[in-house]
Amino acid sequence: MKILQNIGEYFILMGRTFSQPTKASLIRKQISFELNSLGLGSMGIITIISAFMGAVITLQTASNIDSALIPDYTVGFTARQSMILEFSTTIIALILAGKVGSNIASEIGMMRVTEQIDALEIMGVNSASYLIVPKILAAVIINPFLAIWSMFIGISGGYLVAEFSGVVTTDAFIEGVQLDFKMFSIYYALIKTAVFAFIITSIPAYYGYNVKGGALEVGVASTKGVVTSSIVILIANYVITQLLLI
Amino acid sequence: MIELKNISKSFNGKQILHGIDVVYEKGKTNLIIGASGSGKSVLTKCTVGLIEPDEGQVLYNGKNFTAMKLDDRKEVRKKIGMLFQGGALFDSLSVEENIKFPLRMHASMTEKEMQDRVNFCLGRVNMSGINDRFPAEISGGMQKRVGIARAISLGPSYLFCDEPNSGLDPGTSILIDNLIKELTEEFQITTVVVTHDMNSVMEIGDHVIFIHKGHKHWEGTKDTILKTTNKELSDLVFASDLMKKVRKLS
């Protein structure tokens, strides 16, 4: 029953968040702040993880190809498909759910326990809209760019491994990366990323917004926000894949 | 003027407020006192609409706030300033931006007019020159004073203060009390202060309401409180030796 209550409260909060918009000038200022905080602030970790994942996918694929019947370009093809279809979207979303989600839940949660949200309400501000809309919009805008960046870095990481380790020639790797490329894969990845961005921001925001108590409860809300948004990402990943690819 | 009629509220089946009737008059400092957990803060939150009462009405200048639509409530809230227990300044904004926030939301002012208003409000609470500091960089007493500056920035008709002296040294407490009193009289604001600080009661209590176990148990002024025969009120007010001596002297 608790889960149904949470789902109901979540949708009520989202309804309130989008039904009474805050003054546009204030929202614009907040969005640019969040673009920097949620987006550019995640570039470093995305770059490092993507580069190493691209490299490891290349090494593992190359080391597992024993048959002479499987062409060398399969390594580049696998690295590209893995990065575009799953890694740069789902895995990055799960990582960001931890980084960005905990940040959002604890920030809004602390504002709740220190009565800053009450202060906004007293001023006649729709606190849900003012606090949550800029985060959702910023993430939905910036995360697709982060996904594209992750794809580029991941495939580049694979290329560098091919260049320096010699597990596959760079020509074969590039041939595989270019083989049977479908632009729809990118659209599919970007749609997923935008949906995941909404999940990563809105679910932790819900847990933070409804904190009751003190610092301990803020920590609990932060954990719940990360765990729940991770599970919802996995479910959404399955649903979107079923709808768009099958 | 604010009028509360038969305000009741319960949480999880436990009755917190029992049909409270109070009138807060304009230009007076109205103090709500009571022991911890007596329902003072819940009553105040019901008054400003942060909590919906189960029964009763809150009237602002005769208009029923509890029955108002959201947009009408917004209009009333523009006239409300509130000082929270911990200041509730926005951490991510400087002192200046904190005070400008209500102006940006509700006033049609140029940047220069807002700047002048910020400087006036900060000057009024003796906090000039700290515009660029952040809440984390100033003391608790300074945060309370900035909180008051933010609360008065839009020129409110109603000022609510939730335990304005908690966590402050006696000197700063008196300073805050005097500031609230001065602002109330200067701008003819209806002020409601939630407190259990007896010094505040003696300093600024034009109108004192004693809440006990969710009931309005006593109502009077700072002068009549010294002569009270109400047992529960006496237990609260004259708990300290100092107040016992004050009572004897009076």
Side-chain angles (χ1 to χ4, degrees):
Chain A
M1 287 309 287
K2 181 71 180 165
I3 192 169
L4 290 176
Q5 186 188 337
N6 283 342
I7 291 169
E9 285 175 356
Y10 169 80
F11 281 108
I12 289 170
L13 178 66
M14 286 303 110
R16 197 168 158 244
T17 300
F18 289 100
S19 62
Q20 305 151 351
T22 311
K23 214 172 179 179
S25 58
L26 278 174
I27 286 281
R28 271 200 300 273
K29 200 174 171 190
Q30 284 298 101
I31 288 175
S32 62
F33 174 79
E34 298 295 352
L35 281 172
N36 184 44
S37 163
L38 303 180
L40 300 180
S42 304
M43 284 288 280
I45 190 168
I46 286 174
T47 303
I48 292 167
I49 293 172
S50 301
F52 279 96
M53 284 306 291
V56 171
I57 288 169
T58 302
L59 283 176
Q60 285 186 350
T61 310
S63 69
N64 281 289
I65 293 176
D66 291 333
S67 171
L69 295 174
I70 302 174
D72 279 354
Y73 61 67
T74 308
V75 176
F77 179 79
T78 308
R80 184 200 75 198
Q81 291 297 86
S82 304
M83 290 306 298
I84 292 177
L85 295 178
E86 275 310 302
F87 185 80
S88 297
T89 55
T90 312
I91 306 299
I92 288 290
L94 289 170
I95 290 163
L96 290 182
K99 182 184 178 291
V100 173
S102 61
N103 180 295
I104 289 174
S106 51
E107 180 192 329
I108 296 180
M110 278 311 289
M111 288 188 77
R112 169 64 75 193
V113 300
T114 55
E115 298 181 307
Q116 291 177 49
I117 291 180
D118 287 345
L120 284 169
E121 291 291 332
I122 289 292
M123 289 177 202
V125 176
N126 176 357
S127 59
S129 172
Y130 176 73
L131 295 174
I132 301 173
V133 166
K135 292 184 195 306
I136 291 176
L137 288 182
V140 169
I141 292 166
I142 198 76
N143 281 22
F145 289 100
L146 294 179
I148 289 170
W149 174 249
S150 166
M151 291 169 199
F152 171 74
I153 293 293
I155 293 169
S156 302
Y159 177 86
L160 288 175
V161 163
E163 173 80 34
F164 294 111
S165 73
V167 291
V168 63
T169 64
T170 51
D171 287 345
F173 185 87
I174 291 294
E175 187 185 352
V177 167
Q178 293 175 335
L179 183 74
D180 194 26
F181 176 72
K182 293 188 182 77
M183 196 59 197
F184 183 74
S185 301
I186 300 287
Y187 298 147
Y188 158 78
L190 295 184
I191 290 168
K192 277 210 306 190
T193 304
V195 173
F196 295 162
F198 187 91
I199 293 167
I200 290 166
T201 44
S202 64
I203 291 178
Y206 158 73
Y207 280 103
Y209 195 82
N210 288 298
V211 164
K212 286 186 180 76
L216 185 69
E217 285 77 12
V218 172
V220 172
S222 178
T223 307
K224 279 183 180 172
V226 172
V227 171
T228 310
S229 53
S230 299
I231 293 168
V232 175
I233 284 168
L234 295 175
I235 296 168
N237 187 31
Y238 174 79
V239 173
I240 294 169
T241 305
Q242 179 83 41
L243 288 173
L244 295 182
L245 290 190
I246 308 299
Chain B
M1 188 177 79
I2 305 169
E3 204 174 343
L4 308 186
K5 287 184 177 176
N6 192 33
I7 297 293
S8 296
K9 180 70 189 175
S10 58
F11 292 106
N12 301 322
K14 192 185 175 198
Q15 189 92 10
I16 305 296
L17 299 176
H18 301 262
I20 291 183
D21 296 294
V22 183
V23 175
Y24 302 129
E25 286 176 32
K26 188 180 175 184
K28 285 192 176 175
T29 315
N30 302 271
L31 267 71
I32 306 174
I33 61 169
S36 297
S38 58
K40 310 182 294 288
S41 292
V42 174
L43 181 65
T44 307
K45 286 184 176 177
C46 284
T47 311
V48 296
L50 287 174
I51 295 176
E52 293 301 319
D54 297 335
E55 278 178 59
Q57 296 178 340
V58 178
L59 306 171
Y60 281 83
N61 279 343
K63 290 178 184 166
N64 188 354
F65 181 71
T66 27
M68 278 180 193
K69 288 180 180 168
L70 217 58
D71 284 345
D72 297 328
R73 277 193 175 199
K74 259 188 186 176
E75 289 307 310
V76 175
R77 280 181 166 164
K78 285 179 192 172
K79 295 176 189 162
I80 295 176
M82 185 154 181
L83 171 64
F84 288 86
Q85 201 171 340
L89 299 177
F90 304 128
D91 299 327
S92 58
L93 302 180
S94 66
V95 164
E96 180 172 313
E97 283 302 319
N98 261 285
I99 300 169
K100 275 183 181 172
F101 191 90
L103 304 174
R104 290 196 196 285
M105 288 305 300
H106 300 302
S108 304
M109 285 181 169
T110 62
E111 207 49 47
K112 169 81 173 68
E113 286 168 335
M114 277 195 273
Q115 186 67 52
D116 291 344
R117 184 70 190 163
V118 168
N119 291 337
F120 168 78
C121 292
L122 280 176
R124 195 61 198 78
V125 297
N126 298 322
M127 282 286 110
S128 298
I130 62 160
N131 302 44
D132 296 330
R133 309 262 287 270
F134 279 82
E137 298 169 348
I138 58 178
S139 70
M142 290 163 89
Q143 286 188 23
K144 291 268 170 79
R145 281 194 268 175
V146 173
I148 294 175
R150 185 177 67 180
I152 62 168
S153 64
L154 271 174
S157 304
Y158 316 100
L159 178 64
F160 291 85
C161 304
D162 188 6
E163 303 201 12
N165 302 324
S166 66
L168 299 182
D169 62 85
T172 312
S173 290
I174 292 168
L175 202 124
I176 297 277
D177 283 341
N178 290 337
L179 190 57
I180 291 169
K181 180 86 175 156
E182 284 168 26
L183 292 169
T184 303
E185 288 169 0
E186 187 177 332
F187 300 113
Q188 281 298 295
I189 302 171
T190 307
T191 299
V192 179
V193 180
V194 177
T195 187
H196 43 217
D197 181 352
M198 289 311 134
N199 287 332
S200 295
V201 175
M202 294 301 139
E203 288 280 338
I204 60 172
D206 295 335
H207 176 210
V208 184
I209 300 120
F210 171 53
I211 305 287
H212 180 65
K213 292 182 178 172
H215 294 272
K216 188 178 83 178
H217 219 61
W218 183 90
E219 195 169 2
T221 66
K222 63 182 177 185
D223 300 320
T224 57
I225 206 167
L226 291 172
K227 299 176 180 74
T228 184
T229 53
N230 184 304
K231 187 186 175 308
E232 285 79 12
L233 180 60
S234 296
D235 288 347
L236 178 81
V237 176
F238 305 111
S240 70
D241 288 342
L242 179 65
M243 286 306 292
K244 281 174 190 155
K245 283 174 189 166
V246 170
R247 188 181 208 182
K248 274 184 189 168
L249 287 172
S250 70

